[in-house]
Amino acid sequence: FGAGGKTPLPRPAAKPGKTGPSNETRWLEFQSKVDAGLENLTAKDIPFPALPLNLSYKTQRDEEKRRNLVRLLQLRWHPDKFMQSYGRLLVESEKEAILKRVKEVSQAVNAIR
C-alpha cells in the first residue's frame, strides 16, 4: 500500500476514556476528501496523529498486526512520500510547517519500531 493508505489499518487497544474518531478514521475521511478534489490543504486539514504514538496490543498474536501497522504508518508519514502524494495540494505559506510536522510524526513512528 502507498502513502495514500486507503486500506484501514488494524486498531491498537483503546486507551481508557478516549473519545472521538480514531486516527485511522480521521485519515480515511481526509483521504476521501482529497480523492474528491480537496485542494489548498492547511495543517488543520491533515489528520496528524497525537504524539507520542501508542501502539500497544494485548496479545503476542497481535504483534504481527502491530508490525504491519508500523510499516503502513512509515509509508504514510514518510516525508518524501507525503510530499509526493500531497505536496502539490498544500497551501504554499504552510508547506514548511506541515513538512516539519510530517517529519516529527515520521520520527515518532520510526522510534516505535
Side-chain angles (χ1 to χ4, degrees):
F1 301 106
K6 295 179 184 180
T7 301
L9 303 175
R11 287 189 165 178
K15 291 181 184 178
K18 182 181 175 192
T19 59
S22 70
N23 288 333
E24 185 60 16
T25 299
R26 291 174 41 240
W27 180 266
L28 292 174
E29 290 170 357
F30 164 74
Q31 187 61 54
S32 68
K33 289 177 184 176
V34 169
D35 292 345
L38 179 66
E39 295 181 5
N40 300 319
L41 298 174
T42 65
K44 286 196 279 185
D45 296 320
I46 301 169
F48 293 106
L51 298 178
L53 294 172
N54 177 17
L55 301 181
S56 59
Y57 285 91
K58 295 183 180 201
T59 67
Q60 181 70 21
R61 190 173 132 224
D62 289 335
E63 183 60 25
E64 184 178 342
K65 289 181 185 178
R66 189 189 79 76
R67 282 193 307 268
N68 290 337
L69 174 60
V70 169
R71 181 68 185 133
L72 288 171
L73 289 174
Q74 286 174 321
L75 291 172
R76 179 178 290 172
W77 294 107
H78 187 281
D80 293 335
K81 292 188 181 305
F82 185 89
M83 291 304 288
Q84 183 179 20
S85 296
Y86 306 106
R88 72 190 187 299
L89 303 174
L90 301 178
V91 171
E92 193 63 40
S93 62
E94 292 195 30
K95 196 175 273 192
E96 188 175 325
I98 290 170
L99 184 56
K100 181 181 178 190
R101 187 88 187 274
V102 168
K103 287 178 182 178
E104 289 171 358
V105 173
S106 178
Q107 290 170 352
V109 170
N110 288 329
I112 60 173
R113 290 197 300 177

